[in-house]
Amino acid sequence: MGRTIPPILVELRQPSSTEAQIAALRGLKNEVIGHEQKKEWWISLGVVKCLERTLSTHRSSSKRRQRDVHNNGVSSNSASDEEEARLLAVIIVGSLADGGPKFIYPLRTGMIYPPILDILCPTESAPSLVLAALRSLISIADAVILQNPKKLEEEDAFLRLLYSEQHLSVLGQILDQDATHPIIQQQVSLVASLISKTCKTEARRKQLRFCGILNSLATRLASFIVTPGYIPAMSLTLNPDSRIRPAGSRARLAPLLQAICTIIQESKIRVSNFCCSAAFASIFPSDKDPYSWRVPLAPSGKREPPSISIETLQPLKSQISGKGSNYPPMNSFATWGKQQTSQRAFSSAMEIIPTESFASQDHDETHLVPWLVEVVRAKSGMTRLMAIWLIALMFRSNSVSPHRSRDLSMQLIPILAGMLDKDSKISDDEELPYDLGPSEPAARTILQRAPRVLALFVAENEEFQRAAADADVIKKLSQLLKQSYDPIPPASMTAMWNPIEGDVNDARDHSNSSKLGPDGLMPIQLHTVRMRESALIALNAMATSKDEYRKAIIDNGVVPFIIESLKPHDQPAGAEDKVQNRQLGNPITTLIAACNAARALSRSVSSLRTTLVDKGLADPIYKLLRHPDLEVQIAATSASINLILEFSSMRGQMIDAGVLSILCEHAHSFNPKLRLNAVWALKHLVLSAPNHLKIKCVQELGIGWLKQIICNGTEDGIIESHRTVGDRGSTPIAMGTPNAAGEQVDLLNAMDDRSQGSNFNQDDEDDEVNMVDSVGPLSRHGRFKSSRFATMPAAEQSTTQYDHPFEMRDEDDPTAVQNARDDLAIQEQGLTFVRNLICGPHASDMVDYLLGELGQDKVFDMLTNLLKPKSVDVFSSRRPGGSGPKLVPPPTEVLAGVCYIMVHLAGSVPKHRQMLIAKPELLRLLIPLFNHPHPDVRVSCVWTVFNLTWTDDQADKLHSKTRANELRKLGVLNKLHELENDLDLDVRERTKMTIAHMNEQLRL
């Protein structure tokens, strides 16, 4: 027997009066709140259509509604009956969304999103109605995330509507309300929480920056700074129109900080814009005392309480600079290049050369840093974590004084380590339900976010890594990763029995808005995967530099779990609707994090030959090379770079599986990141490989591709990059790409800045032997002792992918500059690829093969062209009649790549040396390079001369003497004598050996 239509539904479909409609809505609210089965039943009856009609009445009534608003922004009259009906409808929608992702489909198809978003306007709706709408939107956002985390954000209708220009403007109006009433403060907290939950892509972050929401959030943060006890009254003598009012009693700092961090992450420009907000400029005074930010001591010798005045919250100044600017320099290029290379990564093929004009570059930090440190000391829970996150983002963008690093590592890392404990207590007076949403408790958020914040500090920073290791962070991260694979309790995965299932056929509505969607995920499942991804990211950050940390990670037994994280779990067809079969597996972001962690661990030679082989790392990495997602392919290709090195036990396994064809295919990709990583891997693959494998690689790549990869960037790329940078400021440019430790080095020969002296850090030398940055003798200073030809191949075991995972990007880079970076980075690896092709056993055969395929004259013409400076007017686009063109030298890495190709040519058989000596134009271009600032370029020139004057046998003696005479005529011998007192030890020793050898040939 079928059921009749409930009276509540009859009244909602055809309301007899507003009062009766309100009574019906109130009865429906009492029915559905906290009762999942009844929610499903009412959905099947078509209640969504009724709710949509009730909410849509706002569109007509708002046009004629004239509210009388007090100064505090709250309506003086009680809400009308229509508003009360809409309020109840909004609450019911929020309750339905709390039921989980399966309720999103009927809400979307029932067109609930547009009317509920229209209600948000604070000038057209009562504050209580806006507050309820925000709570419902947060419930919807939580359910949307659980519905399908693998789905692209742009494909969801709710997010497209929310981030439309109209509704972002409304969110800005809510944030800009000048009122301290508790309801308004709650609205601000909810808007901040909504932004944190929904802003997940770079496009969304840029959108929030350009529409002014970031500035509005900065103003709200400034209101916390000016609350009594944090700023003296004398500092508030400002224009009344621009005065920042203190935050209200119900204002919450945690969601505000979280929203700010969500927007500014991964961008130096956004961090700078936030730090230089007008709100901060209006409340922070300038200071002269470099240490006045410190908390004063009481007469007893103890620290005062954290409630202090703004006069004690001054930023730390650099001892180098006398400048008084309170904000970070807007020129992110100059700022980034000035940092020590061992602590900062700048993932590009170009860097700004620090000149004398930069020697006094200040490191002044914003006043926010000491204030945030005080927040960390005074608060706990989410507020403390979000404050540390903001400090970390400012630290990564160089907005924190480097002199504060030690203090921050000692203060913040132990706090973050404590947050990694799964059973840690959360005690914070700000942890209210409307801050975080019903499906994201604070404890889960902390476990998901704390490892990522930790990774921002420890990545490429040995000081922070040491503090983290002392705090036992590696063990705690390993435990988190293992816990993410613990079985989920069955009670949280079992569907509840429905006693009325199949008994409502007569009353059901069969429209789409009356059908439930897929079950989606449980919140515990999403939390588990997010915690797994965060642990992988933090472990990757800890493993980037020192082998002792990699060994500690491996000793904690996480390798099997990392390998398990490399396996996407595909569900069987039709299983997504069954609760018992519901699995998230490893989504794309987790796969990428696992690839990065595997790549970092593979930098350890001992692990590469033992643990990683035993656990079977090669197979999942190889499968991910064919993954349909491009970003996963990029990460997997980057992870494969170390697996196919000459001494890797997995090299043969991957070659037999067909990795060569896949890498050659990736090398033809239109994506520059994938193309770069593929060429990088191929240069390792051909190293010491048999000639038939090298020839197969060249054939699959194509001769035309090889020509393009070598010559790409030598003309248009360099000229355009110099012209664009010249327009921004005449700053000299040189090539540079970070290695896996984030150091700015030459990828071809592990360059280091030794042009100013030969004082080396012994710790760096010891660590270099552990990390294996090249094949053979690993010390840079004795690299060629065992080879008279100096034909050591370029096989740096660098693990850096093109976009560093912890890099703060400069989103406003001109397209021409970015394109030039891409071209030059790929060209650099292409030159190294050629270098490795023509070295090793039977190298002369490969030289003959390449000369035959490319053409002998063509090869030497390309090398000559690569060494030639380019004539370009860097200011031509702004001043056509300017100072005229200037010569731009080739990038350092390109010079080194060409020189080492010449070293290998000269180190081959006598006929190849004769070919090279017969190119006087090419050799003349080599002469100025003997005085190049970088020692690796100088030493490669010396080795070229040594190999050219070498004698293979008696038949080659006369030719060897002739070659020595030709080099002396070119002035090479004089250049060698100038290098006898070179600052670099390797250059001096090779020069002495070459001079003695050349003099011996000339005396014959």
Side-chain angles (χ1 to χ4, degrees), residues 177 255 348 401 500 603 756 824:
Q177 293 179 97
S348 71
S401 172
I500 60 176
R603 297 194 71 232
Q756 301 301 321
L824 289 171

Side-chain angles (χ1 to χ4, degrees), residues 153 163 195-201 204-205 208 262-263:
E153 180 182 271
Y163 281 85
I195 291 172
S196 302
K197 292 175 182 293
T198 58
C199 183
K200 301 299 182 183
T201 65
R204 301 294 190 214
R205 298 181 193 116
L208 292 175
T262 301
I263 296 173

Side-chain angles (χ1 to χ4, degrees), residues 810-842:
D810 188 346
E811 65 190 47
D812 289 349
D813 277 354
T815 302
V817 173
Q818 188 59 52
N819 291 341
R821 288 173 175 169
D822 297 341
D823 293 340
L824 289 171
I826 296 169
Q827 181 194 21
E828 175 189 4
Q829 295 306 312
L831 291 171
T832 316
F833 172 76
V834 174
R835 171 184 173 181
N836 287 354
L837 281 175
I838 58 176
C839 72
H842 310 290

Side-chain angles (χ1 to χ4, degrees), residues 685-700:
L685 187 64
V686 300
L687 171 61
S688 299
N691 283 356
H692 71 85
L693 186 63
K694 294 181 179 180
I695 293 174
K696 181 181 178 182
C697 181
V698 173
Q699 290 174 346
E700 291 210 21

